[in-house]
């Protein structure tokens, strides 16, 4: 049996983009070449890997092969990047996963910094909920992720992200410097049922309140529109500030609760060398920003070595993959 990297690359591209045509565009190949590579892989394995529907789906065998194909390609990329790192010409593509609010509120600044600091590294951003991005990191679908409150380990803490009350500007409490969750007890409460719900429930528990949301809304844009319409109030994290329209206010909330946003690579295997380069670059950027701001908090321990050279990525729009960009979702 002879299985090669181009075959695995074509197979993964079809899975990640959802079709042969999109995979061809992603790889810069003809559609027939992608089809031939996948068919030859299936002949080697003596069984089909894909169900050729729209979008393409994996067979039971394809699902079992998928994580090993990702690991094989990741290992091959790592070998190339190690050689590039040794020559001090770090290049390559890093697949970065993050939740929707982090993608909107935090990632653009990182991309801008990396684009200036590491222009030979391309970063492709994939958006998912907390459970999805952790799974993508574990399976090798993503090379790096911004995780929320991960267990202790290597990584860069990008922010201590506090929770805020989101109110219409004509709300009686909109002019207050701080809002106590108890003062919102008579308001209709809106919530997005995801990883943040547990923290918001904790805020209510600490205040001695029952957590009884009136509406559960998955889509963040819908949630914000409902607050704009005066249907109720909600709680979002500080990183959501850039998403809040002018007719709403985002106010500090008591009891105070926050979450850690940490840039990290996989826990169970070596990091892609370019991920380490980006992490070192981010650590240096945070340190410089803190030194310029006398009121800034100390930069947290990064867990990686400080930057060794000042030279981080171009951002390309993520293709449709297992991490499929979906509707805007809160996190």
């Amino acid at each position: 049996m002879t299985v090669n990297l181009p075959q695995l690359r074509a197979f993964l591209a079809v899975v990640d983009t959802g079709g042969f045509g999109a995979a061809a565009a992603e790889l810069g190949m003809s559609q027939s070449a992608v089809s031939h590579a996948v068919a030859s892989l299936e002949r080697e394995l003596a069984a089909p890997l894909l169900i050729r529907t729209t979008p393409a789906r994996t067979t039971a065998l394809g699902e079992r092969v998928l994580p090993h194909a990702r690991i094989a390609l990741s290992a091959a990329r790592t070998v190339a990047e190690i050689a590039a790192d040794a020559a001090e010409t770090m290049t390559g593509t890093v697949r970065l996963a993050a939740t929707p609010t982090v993608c909107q509120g935090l990632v653009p600044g990182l991309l801008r910094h990396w684009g200036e600091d590491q222009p030979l590294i391309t970063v492709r951003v994939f958006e998912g909920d907390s459970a999805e991005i952790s799974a993508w990191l574990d399976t090798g679908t993503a090379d790096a992720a911004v995780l929320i409150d991960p267990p202790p380990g290597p990584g860069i803490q990008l922010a201590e992200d506090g929770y805020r009350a989101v109110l219409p500007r004509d709300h009686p409490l909109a002019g207050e410097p701080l809002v106590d969750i108890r003062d919102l007890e008579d308001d209709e409460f809106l919530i997005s049922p995801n990883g943040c719900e547990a923290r918001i429930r904790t805020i209510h528990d600490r205040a001695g309140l029952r957590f009884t949301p009136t509406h559960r809304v998955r889509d963040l844009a819908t949630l914000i529109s409902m607050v704009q319409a005066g249907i109720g109030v909600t709680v979002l994290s500080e990183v959501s500030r850039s998403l809040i329209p002018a007719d709403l206010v985002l106010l500090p909330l008591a009891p105070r609760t926050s979450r850690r946003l940490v840039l990290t690579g996989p826990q169970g295997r070596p990091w892609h060398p370019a991920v380490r380069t980006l992490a070192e670059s981010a650590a240096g950027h945070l340190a410089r920003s803190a030194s310029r701001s006398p009121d800034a908090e100390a930069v947290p321990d990064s867990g990686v070595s400080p930057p060794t050279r000042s030279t981080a990525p171009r951002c390309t729009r993520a293709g449709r993959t297992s991490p499929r960009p979906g509707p805007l979702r809160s996190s």
Side-chain angles (χ1 to χ4, degrees), residues 98 249 314:
V249 294
R314 214 165 41 238

Side-chain angles (χ1 to χ4, degrees), residues 215-305:
H215 300 288
R216 282 182 162 82
V217 183
R218 180 175 177 84
D219 185 80
L220 181 56
T222 303
L223 185 70
I224 290 173
S225 295
M226 291 175 70
V227 178
Q228 286 180 289
I231 294 171
V233 301
T234 192
V235 170
L236 293 174
S237 65
E238 171 66 26
V239 79
S240 308
R241 182 171 293 278
S242 63
L243 311 178
I244 303 302
D247 56 349
L248 300 182
V249 294
L250 194 69
L251 299 176
L253 183 70
R256 297 185 182 274
T257 302
S258 63
R259 61 183 188 171
R260 294 178 301 112
L261 303 180
V262 178
L263 172 65
T264 187
Q267 296 294 316
R269 60 183 186 281
W271 290 12
H272 188 295
V275 173
R276 182 167 291 277
T277 297
L278 296 185
E280 292 170 349
S281 176
H285 177 59
L286 290 171
R288 289 190 294 273
S289 297
S291 67
R292 289 194 297 266
S293 174
D295 298 326
E297 296 180 1
V299 177
D301 182 11
S302 68
V304 297
S305 304

Side-chain angles (χ1 to χ4, degrees), residues 94-291:
V94 169
R95 297 161 298 183
L96 175 67
T99 62
T101 51
V102 172
C103 281
Q104 297 251 348
L106 191 63
V107 169
L110 283 174
L111 295 176
R112 183 170 56 251
H113 164 69
W114 287 331
E116 296 170 353
D117 194 44
Q118 295 292 329
L120 298 181
I121 300 177
T122 298
V123 175
R124 299 182 61 209
V125 176
F126 296 96
E127 181 183 280
D129 62 33
S130 295
E132 286 174 325
I133 65 174
S134 295
W136 295 338
L137 196 59
D138 290 342
T139 62
T141 302
D143 304 303
V146 179
L147 298 182
I148 298 170
D149 290 334
I156 301 295
Q157 182 168 315
L158 300 174
E160 188 76 26
D161 188 26
Y163 284 90
R164 303 287 186 263
V166 183
L167 312 175
R169 283 199 175 273
D170 60 0
H171 191 281
L173 299 175
E176 296 296 322
L178 181 141
V179 174
D180 193 298
I181 193 70
R182 287 176 284 258
D183 294 332
L184 300 176
E185 190 173 10
D186 293 332
D187 288 271
E188 303 291 307
F189 197 84
L190 314 177
I191 189 68
S192 180
N194 54 45
C196 278
E197 181 171 353
R199 294 175 180 84
I200 296 171
R201 184 186 295 275
T202 298
I203 294 172
H204 283 76
D205 290 345
R206 289 171 59 195
L209 300 177
R210 291 181 60 205
F211 181 63
T212 55
T214 307
H215 300 288
R216 282 182 162 82
V217 183
R218 180 175 177 84
D219 185 80
L220 181 56
T222 303
L223 185 70
I224 290 173
S225 295
M226 291 175 70
V227 178
Q228 286 180 289
I231 294 171
V233 301
T234 192
V235 170
L236 293 174
S237 65
E238 171 66 26
V239 79
S240 308
R241 182 171 293 278
S242 63
L243 311 178
I244 303 302
D247 56 349
L248 300 182
V249 294
L250 194 69
L251 299 176
L253 183 70
R256 297 185 182 274
T257 302
S258 63
R259 61 183 188 171
R260 294 178 301 112
L261 303 180
V262 178
L263 172 65
T264 187
Q267 296 294 316
R269 60 183 186 281
W271 290 12
H272 188 295
V275 173
R276 182 167 291 277
T277 297
L278 296 185
E280 292 170 349
S281 176
H285 177 59
L286 290 171
R288 289 190 294 273
S289 297
S291 67

Side-chain angles (χ1 to χ4, degrees), residues 56-83:
R57 295 183 293 113
T58 51
T59 63
L61 175 63
E63 199 64 28
R64 292 176 61 190
V65 168
L66 190 59
H68 300 285
R70 292 195 189 284
I71 291 170
L73 283 182
S74 178
R77 289 171 54 229
T78 298
V79 169
E81 299 302 341
I82 288 172

